[in-house]
Amino acid sequence: MTDRRHLIGHAYTPYTFPVEHGKVREFARAVKDEDPVYHDVEAARAAGYRHLPAPPTFSAVTSHWATRNVDVLRLDLRRVLAGGAEWEYLGDIAAGDVLTVRSHIADVQEKTGSRGPMTLVITEHEFVNEREETVMRLRSTVIEMGEQ
Amino acid sequence: MTAPDPEPGTAPDTGPDTPPGTVAPERRVGPLTRTDFVRYAGAGGDFNPIHHDETFARSAGYPSVFGHGLLTAGVLAGYAASWLGRRNLRRFTVRYVGQVWPGDTLVLSGEVLRTGTAEDGGTEVEASLEVHTEAAGRERRLVLRGGATAAYPAPALALAEGERA
């Protein structure tokens, strides 16, 4: 197993991404969310939003914008599993917003589970809008299983 | 519970007075197809081939491609948002327990665990969430455990009127 504990605290290059109208619709459709606020601007405004709001797990789309020049984790995708995630919602996110994402590796744990040795990598992401409001936090866990 | 599945976008069925033990109406989504996985890969930007390339998935020891954990999480988040109220959602957590295979139908369920007073005097409701899969010829399996916290503001107006009365 590659020991990656020296990566704790590693901060990724911050990046910004515009919350796009079409992307909100596309993402809501992909997660089969039929709430009209995600595709109808009138419905969104009637519900009190500036524009189409971001669905709760919309943070996933930011991977299109992340700049990962150096792959510090060097995970073997054949052995990678998503472990879990935790979102904290602090304010509205709507189409037209421009978010800045600051991410860092919060923890790396070497464990032995029922399926053998594994590495848990926990990454924290902070989402700040163009008005400097922190609107969301995300903590996600990726698991790399040991080589068989 | 035999209550009908709530229509998306309508008012939540829960609120500050929802007692612990209240169960959300179950919702079924699916069966999910490989196209659903590809659609999610495009929308979400996760192109790990394990979710769309059958040859790659088999070389990793899996019987076929399987769904993104975040796809299941995204479907569950929509369910939680329509049950607890989209704008009330403060926290949403998921822990992946098993894979979602092509042909699986997601069975979404939820239960109120606890209600309490929030810092601002409003009410907080904490719920547990689960996703099982159902498919012809396969046993029903738990694939995701989740949780959500929703906050409901204090009824300031009603309180003020009560004081005047």
Side-chain angles (χ1 to χ4, degrees):
Chain A
M1 298 285 283
T2 314
D3 191 340
R4 299 188 180 87
R5 278 175 291 196
H6 65 282
L7 294 172
I8 296 173
H10 175 83
Y12 290 102
T13 308
Y15 58 94
T16 57
F17 77 99
V19 179
E20 296 160 313
H21 183 159
K23 196 71 193 178
V24 169
R25 291 184 67 153
E26 180 194 5
F27 186 84
R29 190 169 171 207
V31 296
K32 301 183 177 289
D33 195 328
E34 287 163 15
D35 190 330
V37 297
Y38 301 128
H39 58 85
D40 178 348
V41 182
E42 290 305 313
R45 296 222 164 104
Y49 296 101
R50 297 181 292 278
H51 206 292
L52 305 188
T57 61
F58 189 72
S59 56
V61 312
T62 67
S63 56
H64 277 302
W65 294 84
T67 43
R68 297 277 188 268
N69 297 327
V70 184
D71 178 13
V72 292
L73 288 172
R74 302 170 68 86
L75 298 170
D76 180 347
L77 293 182
R78 286 186 173 77
R79 294 185 281 124
V80 166
L81 289 172
E86 181 174 341
W87 289 262
E88 195 186 347
Y89 306 108
L90 305 165
D92 282 344
I93 300 173
D97 289 356
V98 179
L99 300 184
T100 297
V101 188
R102 296 191 185 93
S103 312
H104 71 278
I105 297 173
D107 203 5
V108 177
Q109 298 168 10
E110 307 288 341
K111 282 190 176 175
T112 303
S114 57
R115 290 176 289 186
M118 54 182 169
T119 305
L120 274 68
V121 180
I122 295 145
T123 310
E124 284 180 357
H125 313 262
E126 192 184 42
F127 296 77
V128 181
N129 68 17
E130 69 276 22
R131 292 175 293 280
E132 296 297 321
E133 298 158 344
T134 300
V135 283
M136 186 168 65
R137 289 200 184 93
L138 165 65
R139 192 176 156 89
S140 62
T141 304
V142 162
I143 301 170
E144 187 189 60
M145 307 303 296
E147 289 182 61
Q148 297 296 310
Chain B
M1 288 276 292
T2 52
D5 197 8
E7 284 296 313
T10 57
D13 331 337
T14 52
D17 303 323
T18 308
T22 302
V23 178
E26 263 189 7
R27 182 185 293 174
R28 279 176 169 68
V29 174
L32 298 182
T33 64
R34 286 167 174 78
T35 304
D36 290 321
F37 302 163
V38 171
R39 186 190 293 284
Y40 185 79
D46 179 350
F47 287 99
N48 183 341
I50 207 125
H51 300 302
H52 62 261
D53 182 335
E54 200 86 4
T55 308
F56 183 91
R58 286 178 194 272
S59 78
Y62 295 101
S64 76
V65 296
F66 55 91
H68 302 72
L70 277 169
L71 166 56
T72 310
V75 174
L76 182 66
Y79 172 75
S82 66
W83 179 43
L84 298 167
R86 190 188 334 96
R87 301 204 87 163
N88 305 111
L89 208 57
R90 292 293 174 272
R91 197 171 143 271
F92 175 64
T93 67
V94 294
R95 195 161 61 78
Y96 306 111
V97 181
Q99 268 86 18
V100 174
W101 306 108
D104 280 347
T105 292
L106 304 179
V107 183
L108 314 168
S109 59
E111 182 181 345
V112 173
L113 293 179
R114 155 193 98 71
T115 60
T117 307
E119 283 170 25
D120 63 358
T123 307
E124 252 183 24
V125 171
E126 196 183 309
S128 67
L129 301 160
E130 285 184 347
V131 182
H132 289 79
T133 55
E134 281 182 349
R138 287 205 280 271
E139 268 183 47
R140 184 182 163 115
R141 290 179 305 122
L142 177 70
V143 293
L144 188 160
R145 273 185 222 283
T149 307
Y152 302 89
L157 190 67
L159 227 121
E161 280 171 1
E163 277 165 9
R164 271 203 301 274

